[in-house]
Amino acid sequence: MERLWNANYVKIWSSNYMLNFAFMILSPLLPLYLSEHFGANKDQIGMVLAGYALTALIIRPFSGFIVDSFQRKTVLLICYAVFTVLFGGYMLAGSILMFGVVRTLHGAPMGATTVSSSTVAIDVLPSSRRAEGIGYYGLSNNLSTAIAPAIGLAIYHATGNFMILFGIAAATALVGLIINCTLHIKPNVEKKEKLHISLDRFFLVKAWKLTIAMILFAFPFGVMFTYVAIYGKEALGITTGSGVFFALLSTGLVLSRLIGARSLRKGNLVQNGLEGVCISMLGYLLFASMHNAIGYFGAPLLVGFGYGHLFPAIQMMFINLAPHSQRGTASSSMLIAWDLGLGLGYILGGVIIEHMGYFTTFWVAWAVIAVGGIYFASRVRSHYLANKLR
Protein backbone atom coordinates (compact mmCIF):
# COMPACT_ATOMS: atom_id res chain seq x y z
CA MET A 1 0.00 0.00 0.00
CA GLU A 2 1.28 3.46 -0.92
CA ARG A 3 2.50 5.73 1.87
CA LEU A 4 -0.14 8.22 3.02
CA TRP A 5 1.82 10.46 5.41
CA ASN A 6 4.62 11.56 3.08
CA ALA A 7 6.70 14.67 3.89
CA ASN A 8 4.73 17.08 1.68
CA TYR A 9 1.40 15.83 3.03
CA VAL A 10 2.58 16.34 6.62
CA LYS A 11 3.71 19.88 5.75
CA ILE A 12 0.49 20.92 4.00
CA TRP A 13 -1.52 19.29 6.80
CA SER A 14 0.44 21.26 9.41
CA SER A 15 0.24 24.58 7.58
CA ASN A 16 -3.50 24.14 7.11
CA TYR A 17 -3.79 23.51 10.83
CA MET A 18 -1.96 26.80 11.50
CA LEU A 19 -4.18 28.63 9.01
CA ASN A 20 -7.36 27.45 10.69
CA PHE A 21 -5.98 27.90 14.20
CA ALA A 22 -5.22 31.55 13.44
CA PHE A 23 -8.74 31.99 12.09
CA MET A 24 -10.56 29.97 14.74
CA ILE A 25 -8.94 31.53 17.80
CA LEU A 26 -10.82 34.73 16.93
CA SER A 27 -14.05 33.59 15.25
CA PRO A 28 -16.24 32.67 18.27
CA LEU A 29 -15.07 35.76 20.16
CA LEU A 30 -15.67 38.36 17.47
CA PRO A 31 -19.40 38.75 18.26
CA LEU A 32 -18.44 39.48 21.88
CA TYR A 33 -15.67 41.86 20.77
CA LEU A 34 -18.00 43.78 18.46
CA SER A 35 -20.70 43.93 21.13
CA GLU A 36 -18.43 44.98 24.00
CA HIS A 37 -15.90 47.16 22.18
CA PHE A 38 -18.13 48.88 19.61
CA GLY A 39 -21.61 48.38 21.11
CA ALA A 40 -22.81 46.52 17.99
CA ASN A 41 -26.26 44.90 17.92
CA LYS A 42 -27.04 41.48 16.42
CA ASP A 43 -27.84 42.88 12.95
CA GLN A 44 -24.54 44.77 12.84
CA ILE A 45 -22.59 41.75 14.08
CA GLY A 46 -24.14 39.58 11.37
CA MET A 47 -23.33 42.10 8.65
CA VAL A 48 -19.71 42.59 9.77
CA LEU A 49 -19.04 38.87 9.99
CA ALA A 50 -20.82 38.19 6.68
CA GLY A 51 -18.37 40.51 4.92
CA TYR A 52 -15.68 37.85 5.29
CA ALA A 53 -17.93 35.19 3.77
CA LEU A 54 -18.88 37.51 0.91
CA THR A 55 -15.32 38.20 -0.24
CA ALA A 56 -14.33 34.56 0.29
CA LEU A 57 -17.30 33.61 -1.88
CA ILE A 58 -16.33 36.08 -4.61
CA ILE A 59 -12.69 34.99 -4.70
CA ARG A 60 -13.32 31.21 -4.70
CA PRO A 61 -14.11 30.78 -8.43
CA PHE A 62 -11.07 32.82 -9.47
CA SER A 63 -8.94 30.90 -6.95
CA GLY A 64 -9.85 27.59 -8.53
CA PHE A 65 -9.04 28.91 -12.00
CA ILE A 66 -5.70 30.39 -10.87
CA VAL A 67 -4.69 27.26 -8.94
CA ASP A 68 -5.40 25.11 -12.01
CA SER A 69 -3.60 27.53 -14.37
CA PHE A 70 -0.46 28.61 -12.48
CA GLN A 71 2.11 27.13 -10.10
CA ARG A 72 0.20 26.01 -7.04
CA LYS A 73 3.00 26.57 -4.53
CA THR A 74 3.48 30.16 -5.70
CA VAL A 75 -0.24 30.86 -5.49
CA LEU A 76 -0.38 29.27 -2.03
CA LEU A 77 2.52 31.33 -0.66
CA ILE A 78 1.18 34.66 -1.97
CA CYS A 79 -2.31 34.06 -0.59
CA TYR A 80 -1.01 32.80 2.76
CA ALA A 81 1.27 35.84 3.13
CA VAL A 82 -1.59 38.30 2.54
CA PHE A 83 -3.77 36.35 4.99
CA THR A 84 -1.05 36.68 7.65
CA VAL A 85 -0.44 40.40 7.16
CA LEU A 86 -4.11 41.35 7.46
CA PHE A 87 -4.27 40.29 11.12
CA GLY A 88 -2.52 43.56 11.85
CA GLY A 89 -5.60 45.38 10.57
CA TYR A 90 -7.70 44.11 13.48
CA MET A 91 -5.32 45.75 15.92
CA LEU A 92 -5.48 49.10 14.09
CA ALA A 93 -9.25 49.26 13.44
CA GLY A 94 -10.68 52.04 15.63
CA SER A 95 -14.32 51.85 14.57
CA ILE A 96 -16.84 49.17 13.66
CA LEU A 97 -16.71 50.41 10.05
CA MET A 98 -12.94 49.96 9.82
CA PHE A 99 -13.16 46.60 11.55
CA GLY A 100 -15.80 45.54 9.04
CA VAL A 101 -13.56 46.64 6.16
CA VAL A 102 -10.61 44.63 7.48
CA ARG A 103 -12.78 41.58 8.15
CA THR A 104 -14.25 41.81 4.67
CA LEU A 105 -10.81 42.11 3.06
CA HIS A 106 -9.56 39.15 5.12
CA GLY A 107 -12.06 36.84 3.46
CA ALA A 108 -10.29 37.06 0.09
CA PRO A 109 -6.89 35.58 1.08
CA MET A 110 -8.57 33.11 3.43
CA GLY A 111 -10.79 31.88 0.61
CA ALA A 112 -7.93 31.67 -1.87
CA THR A 113 -5.56 29.99 0.59
CA THR A 114 -7.99 27.22 1.52
CA VAL A 115 -8.58 26.43 -2.16
CA SER A 116 -4.86 26.30 -3.01
CA SER A 117 -4.00 24.38 0.17
CA SER A 118 -6.63 21.68 -0.34
CA THR A 119 -5.65 21.33 -4.01
CA VAL A 120 -1.98 20.88 -3.08
CA ALA A 121 -3.04 18.26 -0.52
CA ILE A 122 -4.89 16.34 -3.24
CA ASP A 123 -1.82 16.54 -5.51
CA VAL A 124 0.63 15.13 -2.95
CA LEU A 125 -1.61 12.24 -1.90
CA PRO A 126 -1.20 8.82 -3.59
CA SER A 127 -4.20 8.20 -5.83
CA SER A 128 -5.07 4.91 -4.14
CA ARG A 129 -5.46 6.64 -0.76
CA ARG A 130 -6.83 10.03 -1.85
CA ALA A 131 -10.30 9.72 -0.27
CA GLU A 132 -8.80 8.53 3.01
CA GLY A 133 -6.17 11.27 2.90
CA ILE A 134 -8.78 13.99 2.33
CA GLY A 135 -10.61 12.69 5.39
CA TYR A 136 -7.47 12.95 7.51
CA TYR A 137 -6.66 16.33 5.96
CA GLY A 138 -9.94 17.53 7.44
CA LEU A 139 -8.57 16.63 10.88
CA SER A 140 -6.29 19.66 10.62
CA ASN A 141 -9.44 21.77 10.53
CA ASN A 142 -11.11 19.76 13.27
CA LEU A 143 -8.21 19.87 15.71
CA SER A 144 -7.78 23.60 15.23
CA THR A 145 -11.53 24.00 15.80
CA ALA A 146 -11.16 22.10 19.07
CA ILE A 147 -8.04 23.76 20.40
CA ALA A 148 -8.10 27.34 19.10
CA PRO A 149 -11.48 28.52 20.44
CA ALA A 150 -10.78 26.95 23.84
CA ILE A 151 -7.41 28.74 24.03
CA GLY A 152 -8.91 31.98 22.78
CA LEU A 153 -11.74 31.90 25.28
CA ALA A 154 -9.35 31.02 28.12
CA ILE A 155 -7.10 33.97 27.24
CA TYR A 156 -10.12 36.26 26.94
CA HIS A 157 -11.52 35.24 30.33
CA ALA A 158 -8.07 35.56 31.93
CA THR A 159 -7.02 38.88 30.42
CA GLY A 160 -9.96 40.47 28.60
CA ASN A 161 -7.34 41.67 26.09
CA PHE A 162 -8.19 41.10 22.45
CA MET A 163 -4.88 42.57 21.28
CA ILE A 164 -3.11 39.52 22.69
CA LEU A 165 -5.44 37.27 20.71
CA PHE A 166 -4.87 39.19 17.48
CA GLY A 167 -1.10 38.89 18.02
CA ILE A 168 -1.28 35.14 18.64
CA ALA A 169 -3.35 34.68 15.48
CA ALA A 170 -0.81 36.60 13.39
CA ALA A 171 2.15 34.66 14.84
CA THR A 172 0.46 31.31 14.21
CA ALA A 173 -0.27 32.23 10.60
CA LEU A 174 3.36 33.23 10.15
CA VAL A 175 4.49 29.76 11.30
CA GLY A 176 2.16 28.19 8.73
CA LEU A 177 3.60 30.41 6.00
CA ILE A 178 7.14 29.34 6.88
CA ILE A 179 6.12 25.66 6.73
CA ASN A 180 4.65 26.15 3.26
CA CYS A 181 7.93 27.67 2.06
CA THR A 182 9.56 24.24 2.59
CA LEU A 183 7.13 22.33 0.33
CA HIS A 184 8.65 20.43 -2.61
CA ILE A 185 5.95 19.76 -5.20
CA LYS A 186 6.05 19.09 -8.92
CA PRO A 187 4.97 21.88 -11.29
CA ASN A 188 1.34 21.50 -12.32
CA VAL A 189 1.79 23.68 -15.42
CA GLU A 190 4.32 22.09 -17.77
CA LYS A 191 4.22 24.69 -20.53
CA LYS A 192 2.58 27.97 -21.31
CA GLU A 193 -0.71 27.46 -23.03
CA LYS A 194 -3.49 29.80 -24.03
CA LEU A 195 -5.96 30.01 -21.16
CA HIS A 196 -9.46 29.12 -22.29
CA ILE A 197 -12.02 31.12 -20.33
CA SER A 198 -15.35 29.42 -19.74
CA LEU A 199 -17.83 29.03 -16.90
CA ASP A 200 -16.50 25.54 -16.19
CA ARG A 201 -13.08 26.99 -15.35
CA PHE A 202 -14.60 29.01 -12.49
CA PHE A 203 -17.36 26.73 -11.24
CA LEU A 204 -18.01 23.01 -11.64
CA VAL A 205 -21.38 23.22 -13.37
CA LYS A 206 -21.90 19.47 -13.20
CA ALA A 207 -22.00 19.72 -9.39
CA TRP A 208 -24.87 22.23 -9.15
CA LYS A 209 -27.19 19.86 -7.25
CA LEU A 210 -24.43 18.99 -4.82
CA THR A 211 -23.80 22.72 -4.41
CA ILE A 212 -27.39 23.36 -3.34
CA ALA A 213 -27.15 20.58 -0.77
CA MET A 214 -23.90 21.99 0.60
CA ILE A 215 -25.46 25.44 1.03
CA LEU A 216 -28.31 23.90 3.02
CA PHE A 217 -25.83 22.02 5.23
CA ALA A 218 -23.65 25.08 5.83
CA PHE A 219 -26.47 27.44 6.82
CA PRO A 220 -27.27 25.90 10.23
CA PHE A 221 -23.57 25.51 11.01
CA GLY A 222 -23.08 29.23 10.35
CA VAL A 223 -25.96 30.08 12.68
CA MET A 224 -24.82 27.84 15.53
CA PHE A 225 -21.11 28.52 15.23
CA THR A 226 -21.41 32.31 15.10
CA TYR A 227 -23.93 32.91 17.86
CA VAL A 228 -23.30 30.07 20.30
CA ALA A 229 -21.00 32.03 22.65
CA ILE A 230 -23.28 35.05 22.93
CA TYR A 231 -26.35 32.76 23.11
CA GLY A 232 -24.87 30.85 26.02
CA LYS A 233 -24.06 34.08 27.83
CA GLU A 234 -27.32 35.96 27.21
CA ALA A 235 -29.96 33.22 27.10
CA LEU A 236 -28.60 30.44 29.30
CA GLY A 237 -26.23 32.26 31.65
CA ILE A 238 -23.32 30.05 30.54
CA THR A 239 -20.40 32.48 30.58
CA THR A 240 -17.38 30.14 30.47
CA GLY A 241 -18.71 27.09 28.62
CA SER A 242 -18.04 28.07 25.03
CA GLY A 243 -14.61 26.47 25.09
CA VAL A 244 -16.16 23.17 26.16
CA PHE A 245 -18.78 23.52 23.40
CA PHE A 246 -16.12 23.82 20.68
CA ALA A 247 -14.02 21.06 22.25
CA LEU A 248 -17.04 18.72 22.10
CA LEU A 249 -17.81 19.79 18.54
CA SER A 250 -14.31 18.95 17.45
CA THR A 251 -14.21 15.74 19.46
CA GLY A 252 -17.17 14.59 17.40
CA LEU A 253 -15.44 15.69 14.19
CA VAL A 254 -12.20 13.89 15.05
CA LEU A 255 -13.91 10.67 16.14
CA SER A 256 -16.01 10.68 13.00
CA ARG A 257 -12.97 11.13 10.75
CA LEU A 258 -11.17 8.26 12.43
CA ILE A 259 -14.18 5.91 12.40
CA GLY A 260 -15.19 6.85 8.85
CA ALA A 261 -11.71 6.55 7.29
CA ARG A 262 -12.16 2.88 6.36
CA SER A 263 -15.53 3.54 4.73
CA LEU A 264 -14.06 6.45 2.74
CA ARG A 265 -11.18 4.23 1.62
CA LYS A 266 -13.78 1.82 0.21
CA GLY A 267 -15.46 4.68 -1.66
CA ASN A 268 -18.77 4.67 0.26
CA LEU A 269 -19.21 8.41 -0.21
CA VAL A 270 -22.98 8.63 -0.56
CA GLN A 271 -23.52 6.34 2.42
CA ASN A 272 -21.16 8.42 4.56
CA GLY A 273 -22.93 11.59 3.46
CA LEU A 274 -26.39 10.28 4.32
CA GLU A 275 -25.23 9.03 7.72
CA GLY A 276 -23.62 12.39 8.43
CA VAL A 277 -26.78 14.34 7.56
CA CYS A 278 -28.97 12.20 9.80
CA ILE A 279 -26.62 12.46 12.78
CA SER A 280 -26.24 16.23 12.33
CA MET A 281 -30.03 16.64 12.19
CA LEU A 282 -30.30 14.96 15.58
CA GLY A 283 -27.71 17.38 16.97
CA TYR A 284 -29.51 20.48 15.70
CA LEU A 285 -32.83 19.08 16.97
CA LEU A 286 -31.33 18.68 20.44
CA PHE A 287 -29.90 22.21 20.34
CA ALA A 288 -33.21 23.73 19.23
CA SER A 289 -35.48 21.80 21.60
CA MET A 290 -33.50 21.76 24.86
CA HIS A 291 -32.67 25.24 26.11
CA ASN A 292 -30.34 24.17 28.90
CA ALA A 293 -26.88 22.77 29.51
CA ILE A 294 -27.88 19.33 28.18
CA GLY A 295 -28.81 20.77 24.79
CA TYR A 296 -25.91 23.22 24.81
CA PHE A 297 -23.24 20.60 25.47
CA GLY A 298 -24.92 17.53 23.95
CA ALA A 299 -25.63 18.99 20.51
CA PRO A 300 -22.05 19.83 19.45
CA LEU A 301 -20.85 16.24 19.86
CA LEU A 302 -23.61 14.98 17.54
CA VAL A 303 -23.23 17.84 15.06
CA GLY A 304 -19.46 17.34 14.97
CA PHE A 305 -19.79 13.58 14.44
CA GLY A 306 -22.28 14.18 11.64
CA TYR A 307 -20.21 16.77 9.82
CA GLY A 308 -17.12 14.61 10.21
CA HIS A 309 -18.89 12.04 8.03
CA LEU A 310 -20.54 14.56 5.74
CA PHE A 311 -17.78 17.00 4.81
CA PRO A 312 -15.05 14.66 3.43
CA ALA A 313 -17.69 12.62 1.59
CA ILE A 314 -19.07 15.69 -0.19
CA GLN A 315 -15.56 16.99 -0.91
CA MET A 316 -14.65 13.74 -2.66
CA MET A 317 -17.99 13.78 -4.50
CA PHE A 318 -17.08 17.19 -5.94
CA ILE A 319 -13.62 15.93 -6.92
CA ASN A 320 -15.05 12.77 -8.52
CA LEU A 321 -17.32 14.89 -10.71
CA ALA A 322 -14.34 16.81 -12.15
CA PRO A 323 -11.50 15.82 -14.51
CA HIS A 324 -7.97 15.93 -13.08
CA SER A 325 -7.30 19.30 -14.75
CA GLN A 326 -10.10 20.87 -12.71
CA ARG A 327 -9.22 19.77 -9.20
CA GLY A 328 -8.83 23.37 -8.11
CA THR A 329 -12.20 24.26 -9.62
CA ALA A 330 -13.83 21.32 -7.83
CA SER A 331 -12.34 22.38 -4.49
CA SER A 332 -13.33 26.01 -4.99
CA SER A 333 -16.88 25.04 -6.04
CA MET A 334 -17.38 23.09 -2.83
CA LEU A 335 -16.02 25.97 -0.74
CA ILE A 336 -18.18 28.48 -2.64
CA ALA A 337 -21.24 26.52 -1.54
CA TRP A 338 -19.95 26.30 2.03
CA ASP A 339 -19.19 30.03 2.20
CA LEU A 340 -22.55 30.97 0.74
CA GLY A 341 -24.37 28.84 3.30
CA LEU A 342 -22.26 30.22 6.15
CA GLY A 343 -22.79 33.80 4.96
CA LEU A 344 -26.54 33.32 4.86
CA GLY A 345 -26.33 31.82 8.34
CA TYR A 346 -24.40 34.85 9.63
CA ILE A 347 -26.79 37.42 8.13
CA LEU A 348 -30.18 35.73 8.48
CA GLY A 349 -29.23 34.28 11.85
CA GLY A 350 -28.51 37.76 13.17
CA VAL A 351 -31.72 39.18 11.73
CA ILE A 352 -33.93 36.38 13.09
CA ILE A 353 -32.28 36.55 16.51
CA GLU A 354 -32.71 40.32 16.67
CA HIS A 355 -36.43 40.16 15.83
CA MET A 356 -37.63 36.69 16.92
CA GLY A 357 -35.10 35.44 19.47
CA TYR A 358 -32.56 32.63 19.73
CA PHE A 359 -35.00 29.73 20.07
CA THR A 360 -36.88 30.45 16.83
CA THR A 361 -33.55 30.90 15.03
CA PHE A 362 -32.27 27.48 16.04
CA TRP A 363 -35.53 25.83 14.95
CA VAL A 364 -35.10 27.49 11.55
CA ALA A 365 -31.54 26.11 11.40
CA TRP A 366 -32.85 22.61 12.09
CA ALA A 367 -35.54 22.95 9.42
CA VAL A 368 -32.95 23.99 6.83
CA ILE A 369 -30.72 20.96 7.38
CA ALA A 370 -33.79 18.70 7.36
CA VAL A 371 -34.68 20.05 3.90
CA GLY A 372 -31.04 19.54 2.89
CA GLY A 373 -31.12 15.91 4.00
CA ILE A 374 -34.27 15.19 2.03
CA TYR A 375 -32.83 16.89 -1.06
CA PHE A 376 -29.53 14.99 -0.76
CA ALA A 377 -31.30 11.63 -0.54
CA SER A 378 -33.89 12.28 -3.26
CA ARG A 379 -31.96 14.33 -5.84
CA VAL A 380 -28.22 14.55 -5.22
CA ARG A 381 -27.54 10.84 -4.75
CA SER A 382 -28.87 9.73 -8.15
CA HIS A 383 -27.34 12.72 -9.96
CA TYR A 384 -23.89 11.98 -8.51
CA LEU A 385 -23.97 8.26 -9.30
CA ALA A 386 -24.98 9.02 -12.90
CA ASN A 387 -22.29 11.67 -13.50
CA LYS A 388 -19.21 10.71 -11.46
CA LEU A 389 -15.99 10.16 -13.43
CA ARG A 390 -14.30 7.75 -11.02
Side-chain angles (χ1 to χ4, degrees):
M1 185 177 290
E2 295 177 281
R3 184 183 176 189
L4 175 63
W5 293 92
N6 58 69
N8 280 322
Y9 181 65
V10 171
K11 290 175 182 178
I12 198 67
W13 191 101
S14 300
S15 68
N16 190 61
Y17 172 85
M18 298 297 175
L19 176 83
N20 285 281
F21 185 99
F23 184 76
M24 292 300 304
I25 197 172
L26 300 178
S27 291
L29 284 164
L30 289 182
L32 290 174
Y33 178 69
L34 294 171
S35 176
E36 295 175 3
H37 194 72
F38 297 117
N41 60 33
K42 305 300 185 302
D43 287 341
Q44 291 173 323
I45 291 171
M47 291 301 294
V48 169
L49 297 182
Y52 147 79
L54 176 63
T55 48
L57 179 65
I58 292 171
I59 202 69
R60 296 285 197 200
F62 302 100
S63 302
F65 174 75
I66 292 170
V67 165
D68 285 335
S69 304
F70 300 97
Q71 297 302 326
R72 286 171 181 160
K73 180 178 177 180
T74 302
V75 174
L76 176 61
L77 292 179
I78 292 172
C79 296
Y80 212 123
V82 177
F83 171 79
T84 302
V85 169
L86 279 175
F87 279 108
Y90 294 130
M91 303 179 192
L92 300 175
S95 67
I96 190 171
L97 176 60
M98 288 305 302
F99 192 94
V101 169
V102 174
R103 183 66 176 173
T104 300
L105 291 174
H106 213 175
M110 178 64 176
T113 304
T114 50
V115 170
S116 53
S117 181
S118 61
T119 306
V120 169
I122 294 167
D123 284 346
V124 301
L125 282 166
S127 58
S128 64
R129 307 192 68 181
R130 188 163 288 143
E132 182 186 7
I134 288 298
Y136 283 124
Y137 177 77
L139 280 176
S140 60
N141 299 330
N142 304 152
L143 291 173
S144 60
T145 301
I147 297 170
I151 291 176
L153 288 160
I155 293 172
Y156 167 72
H157 290 304
T159 67
N161 191 330
F162 279 92
M163 294 301 111
I164 294 176
L165 291 167
F166 295 146
I168 292 173
T172 304
L174 180 60
V175 172
L177 177 61
I178 293 171
I179 292 173
N180 275 334
C181 289
T182 67
L183 283 168
H184 297 285
I185 57 178
K186 295 179 180 179
N188 58 293
V189 181
E190 298 295 340
K191 60 182 179 179
K192 292 185 177 180
E193 298 178 350
K194 184 178 179 180
L195 299 179
H196 298 284
I197 307 299
S198 64
L199 179 59
D200 242 12
R201 297 303 304 271
F202 297 96
F203 180 78
L204 192 64
V205 179
K206 191 186 291 185
W208 69 271
K209 288 187 177 181
L210 195 55
T211 297
I212 293 173
M214 193 60 158
I215 292 170
L216 295 172
F217 298 148
F219 177 89
F221 194 86
V223 173
M224 174 188 279
F225 184 86
T226 304
Y227 297 102
V228 65
I230 199 167
Y231 160 68
K233 181 179 179 180
E234 293 185 355
L236 303 182
I238 300 174
T239 57
T240 60
S242 299
V244 177
F245 177 96
F246 287 106
L248 290 170
L249 176 69
S250 294
T251 297
L253 286 164
V254 171
L255 288 174
S256 182
R257 302 278 188 171
L258 296 175
I259 293 171
R262 183 177 180 182
S263 181
L264 284 173
R265 189 163 59 243
K266 292 181 177 179
N268 299 328
L269 303 181
V270 174
Q271 178 184 330
N272 269 36
L274 287 170
E275 290 174 357
V277 174
C278 293
I279 296 169
S280 298
M281 285 173 59
L282 290 175
Y284 286 113
L285 179 61
L286 181 63
F287 197 71
S289 61
M290 300 193 69
H291 311 135
N292 52 35
I294 295 176
Y296 190 85
F297 293 116
L301 192 61
L302 287 171
V303 171
F305 197 88
Y307 276 84
H309 268 63
L310 181 64
F311 201 90
I314 288 187
Q315 185 170 7
M316 280 306 302
M317 288 170 74
F318 269 96
I319 293 169
N320 287 347
L321 288 171
H324 294 300
S325 61
Q326 289 183 277
R327 286 176 182 170
T329 303
S331 294
S332 69
S333 297
M334 183 202 69
L335 293 170
I336 286 169
W338 181 253
D339 284 340
L340 183 56
L342 287 182
L344 290 171
Y346 297 156
I347 297 173
L348 297 180
V351 171
I352 299 171
I353 289 170
E354 187 71 21
H355 298 285
M356 302 182 71
Y358 289 106
F359 303 147
T360 299
T361 305
F362 296 136
W363 275 114
V364 170
W366 175 81
V368 170
I369 195 170
V371 171
I374 294 170
Y375 181 73
F376 185 86
S378 63
R379 293 288 185 269
V380 176
R381 178 181 179 276
S382 58
H383 181 265
Y384 167 75
L385 293 175
N387 289 277
K388 66 177 182 175
L389 301 179
R390 49 191 170 274

